[in-house]
Amino acid sequence: DQQVKQNSPSLSVQEGRISILNCDYTNSMFDYFLWYKKYPAEGPTFLISISSIKDKNEDGRFTVFLNKSAKHLSLHIVPSQPGDSAVYFCAAKIRFRGNNNDMRFGAGTRLTVKP
Amino acid sequence: GAGVSQSPRYKVAKRGQDVALRCDPISGHVSLFWYQQALGQGPEFLTYFQNEAQLDKSGLPSDRFFAERPEGSVSTLKIQRTQQEDSAVYLCASSSRDITEAFFGQGTRLTVV
């Protein structure tokens, strides 16, 4: 049961351009969404998040957009840098479901930023 | 240490062997999670602890998988009679009560031959 989907396994962009990574979810109970970044041989590291009460959250070069009616979110990186090359995971959770706040992850999108 | 620490980093086990994977969470973090990540996939939830209590083990794939956190700090994921399909990276994450994001360790790559 894939509740969080990242349909693009890979994305390649030129340095300085915008990277847009997409994520779709099926469970309307999800109310908090996160993006994690993963380099090879390392664990995922938290990047940015958004609550379902917002439609946009910005942190420096990274902006996450949430479209609840479409059950879709996207991560924009602008300008993209070669150091951004990594696998990006979208994750979703139900924040207030008792004490369990486990996350459901997408399969990831491998971003390559070319110099 | 400052982050989540997992050991060993790599483990090769013969089919049928038992393995134990260790996780040292960030000091003071009450929540601890185990995830399994197969090649080319995202992390899949296995189990969740709040302090020493295992509140959710719905993701454990079979009764060969067992996790414990007896003192509410270090956790061990044990896999009995390993099979080839158990080959994956096992990720541990921890979080505090006041934050929403979890912090991951580097993972243990288990290869069953």
Side-chain angles (χ1 to χ4, degrees):
Chain A
D1 179 19
Q2 195 73 15
Q3 297 186 54
V4 179
K5 298 178 182 179
Q6 294 176 256
N7 292 319
S8 297
S10 63
L11 174 68
S12 181
V13 299
Q14 206 66 36
E15 180 179 8
R17 306 295 290 269
I18 185 171
S19 296
I20 300 177
L21 298 100
N22 293 302
C23 178
D24 297 287
Y25 61 95
T26 57
N27 189 342
S28 57
M29 297 290 290
F30 288 139
D31 57 8
Y32 202 80
F33 305 89
L34 308 93
W35 285 93
Y36 280 80
K37 176 180 178 180
K38 186 180 183 303
Y39 292 117
E42 295 184 10
T45 55
F46 171 72
L47 188 58
I48 192 169
S49 62
I50 187 167
S51 166
S52 60
I53 63 173
K54 295 184 176 182
D55 55 17
K56 176 183 175 181
N57 188 27
E58 189 172 355
D59 183 3
R61 297 186 296 113
F62 302 91
T63 303
V64 56
F65 295 92
L66 175 63
N67 182 334
K68 288 189 293 293
S69 61
K71 296 191 180 68
H72 177 84
L73 64 156
S74 60
L75 174 68
H76 292 211
I77 307 172
V78 57
S80 301
Q81 299 174 354
D84 296 330
S85 298
V87 177
Y88 289 79
F89 291 101
C90 169
K93 66 194 298 181
I94 304 170
R95 282 183 80 174
F96 301 108
R97 187 177 68 182
N99 291 318
N100 186 348
N101 59 350
D102 67 278
M103 293 174 288
R104 305 293 171 174
F105 282 84
T109 297
R110 180 178 300 278
L111 173 66
T112 303
V113 180
K114 299 179 178 179
Chain B
V4 178
S5 177
Q6 291 186 247
S7 60
R9 287 293 311 279
Y10 304 93
K11 175 69 179 177
V12 179
K14 291 185 178 180
R15 191 171 55 183
Q17 186 179 349
D18 296 349
V19 298
L21 312 180
R22 177 187 169 105
C23 173
D24 282 86
I26 294 172
S27 178
H29 278 191
V30 300
S31 299
L32 185 145
F33 309 85
W34 283 98
Y35 285 82
Q36 180 191 59
Q37 185 178 13
L39 189 64
Q41 300 297 316
E44 293 283 343
F45 171 77
L46 293 176
T47 187
Y48 161 69
F49 289 86
Q50 183 168 309
N51 295 309
E52 69 279 3
Q54 188 174 20
L55 298 185
D56 187 343
K57 54 182 180 179
S58 63
L60 296 176
S62 77
D63 58 7
R64 296 186 296 104
F65 286 71
F66 172 77
E68 60 183 5
R69 194 186 185 196
E71 296 178 1
S73 177
V74 171
S75 177
T76 304
L77 176 67
K78 297 179 179 179
I79 309 173
Q80 297 176 323
R81 305 181 303 282
T82 53
Q83 300 177 6
Q84 284 191 318
E85 59 263 31
D86 299 335
S87 297
V89 174
Y90 290 85
L91 293 164
C92 175
S94 70
S95 69
S96 73
R97 198 183 296 276
D98 300 326
I99 62 173
T100 308
E101 64 270 19
F103 296 87
F104 283 85
Q106 292 178 301
T108 295
R109 180 177 295 278
L110 173 65
T111 303
V112 181
V113 297

